[in-house]
Structure formats: C-alpha cells, structure tokens
Amino acid sequence: MSVERTNITLPKRPAKAASATEEESEQFAEEAFVPLSAEEARAWRANHPQGSLWRVWLTQVLAGALAAGGVWLYTGRGSVAMSAAYGALAVVLPAALFLRRTVGRPAPNSGAALLNLFLWELVKIAMTIGLLIAAPRLVMPLSWPAMLVGLVVAVQVYWVALMRMSLRTTRAGSTATRADTARGASDK
C-alpha cells in the first residue's frame, strides 16, 4: 500500500492587511482598558484578600511538629522523633530566612526584585543542604527515614497551604463578583 504525498500551499496575506489588523487590535486593547479609581481599587482589594506567606510557613512548622509527634507515637522513641523534627527544621529554618529577606521589601525595579528572589532562593537551598549534611553530627542517633519523613511533610504541606490560600482568594473573588453582578442587575 502506498501513500501519496500532496503539498498544500496556503495563500499569504498582504503585509498591509496584517499590520492593519495589529493596529486595530492594539487600539481595541487600549480602548478596552479602563483604570480603576482609588475607591474601586480599595473595593477590589477588600474582595480579593492577599494571603500571607508567613501563614504558609507557620503551616509548615505545624505540619513538621505533627510529623515528629506522629513518628514518636508510632515508634515510641524520642530519638526517632527528633530526627523527624530535624528534617522539618531543615525546611522551615531556611524558609523563614528566605521570607524575612524577600517579603515586604520593595525593590527599586523588577530586575532587582528578581535578582533578590533568586539570590535568597539559592541561599535557602544551600542552607537546607548544609543542614542535611550536618544532621549526623547534630542529631545522635540519627534516623534517616524519620528525618526524610519530616523533610517531605514540611515541603509538601507548602503546596497544600498555597492551594488552600489560592482557593480561599478565588472563592472570595467569585463571591464578590456574583454579589457585584446581582447589585448591578438590581440597579437597572
């Protein structure tokens, strides 16, 4: 069985029509954008609350403590629970330093903000690796599986906390949008 190949060529658009379309879409975008007044911006911020990254960090701390407590209840050995707590500490201590140095500090421009973010993320990763390397000398006797449980729980709860925060702000925004729509319909 043979398959025939056919070459199909599509006609090209004239250059003027393409540029006219781009100009029209730019004009439409400029006309469609309406800046908010100060009062409208305040109302939007009230309806779309920003979550705190420190709350996410606190969730990591609590999850690490719960993991250590769960390991202690499961094994009945304090040294194994300390290993799990140290694993969580290897995540939350660098995260606290990262948050302290990046959150709430205005940068002169977006490039400086991005550089600051990358620099402190690198410091956070290096500090976590350093804490893991130092673990056998600092926690006697060290249980590697328990330490990894604490580490994984603290890292993974970060994503759960961020998703909860995102869902909460989304729900608040959609509720506000529905209320605004209902108010707009009743005004007419």
Side-chain angles (χ1 to χ4, degrees):
M1 181 175 198
S2 68
V3 177
E4 277 187 46
R5 288 186 151 180
T6 58
N7 290 333
I8 300 174
T9 57
L10 298 174
K12 293 184 179 179
R13 284 186 175 173
K16 290 181 181 178
S19 64
T21 306
E22 289 174 14
E23 288 174 10
E24 288 173 1
S25 64
E26 286 177 13
Q27 282 179 339
F28 176 74
E30 288 175 9
E31 292 171 4
F33 178 75
V34 178
L36 298 176
S37 67
E39 184 178 318
E40 290 171 330
R42 271 192 295 279
W44 186 89
R45 280 190 213 105
N47 291 333
H48 299 84
Q50 225 179 0
S52 169
L53 292 177
W54 285 105
R55 185 171 287 168
V56 173
W57 178 82
L58 184 61
T59 305
Q60 283 183 303
V61 171
L62 292 174
L66 287 174
V71 166
W72 179 69
L73 286 174
Y74 182 73
T75 63
R77 296 176 40 207
S79 63
V80 177
M82 284 299 294
S83 296
Y86 186 84
L89 182 73
V91 172
V92 298
L93 193 61
L97 179 64
F98 174 80
L99 286 174
R100 176 81 174 107
R101 302 305 284 166
T102 58
V103 173
R105 291 181 173 225
N109 58 41
S110 59
L114 190 60
L115 180 64
N116 188 41
L117 183 74
F118 282 133
L119 172 73
W120 285 104
E121 182 64 27
L122 184 64
V123 169
K124 183 175 91 167
I125 291 169
M127 190 173 171
T128 299
I129 291 170
L131 286 169
L132 292 176
I133 290 171
R137 287 184 288 267
L138 297 175
V139 180
M140 299 283 187
L142 178 66
S143 169
W144 281 96
M147 185 183 73
L148 291 176
V149 164
L151 182 109
V152 167
V153 165
V155 167
Q156 293 304 318
V157 79
Y158 174 79
W159 297 108
V160 172
L162 280 178
M163 283 178 25
R164 275 189 63 220
M165 190 169 70
S166 174
L167 286 174
R168 201 176 307 140
T169 57
T170 302
R171 270 194 226 122
S174 65
T175 304
T177 304
R178 283 194 298 251
D180 292 343
T181 305
R183 263 188 254 123
S186 65
D187 292 343
K188 291 181 181 178

